[in-house]
Amino acid sequence: MPRLISKTFDIIKLALHGCTNRPFYHIVLLTNKSPRDAKPAEQLGTYDPMPNIYNEKVVSLDVERIKFHLANGVAMSKPVEKLLGLSGLLPVHPVSYLAAMRNRKKLQDKVEEQPEDTLEKGNSNP
């Protein structure tokens, strides 16, 4: 059943700026009906997901303005919720815990496989 009354509200989203192989995002305030790359009402920060030479992903936030908008009841997209949770501004998003658990399990599986490989190499060369 279609919605007869569709409300417009403000939302904090990631707006893509950059190339196909080099993404760069602006954290912006938009209305929920505007497209991702529309002119924002306000830019609240930036996010560079590509690791730099120190293996860091760079994020800059205008914390005061973000807190102001959150106090006024502005919604957030899930990627922004995760990002603000990891930055310490909000509680950590549950999906972040799941991703960390999966990464830990992958790392543990690699460590368990590695000694078998080293033992085989050690036995083949007497």
Side-chain angles (χ1 to χ4, degrees), residues 102-113:
R102 288 182 189 125
N103 291 340
R104 224 177 291 127
K105 189 172 189 300
K106 281 183 187 177
L107 185 62
Q108 187 178 11
D109 291 344
K110 282 185 181 180
V111 168
E112 289 174 358
E113 289 176 5

Side-chain angles (χ1 to χ4, degrees), residues 44-64:
L44 303 172
T46 58
Y47 171 53
D48 187 3
M50 300 294 287
N52 61 12
I53 59 172
Y54 302 108
N55 203 20
E56 300 168 334
K57 297 177 180 182
V58 181
V59 178
S60 68
L61 301 170
D62 188 356
V63 177
E64 291 179 11

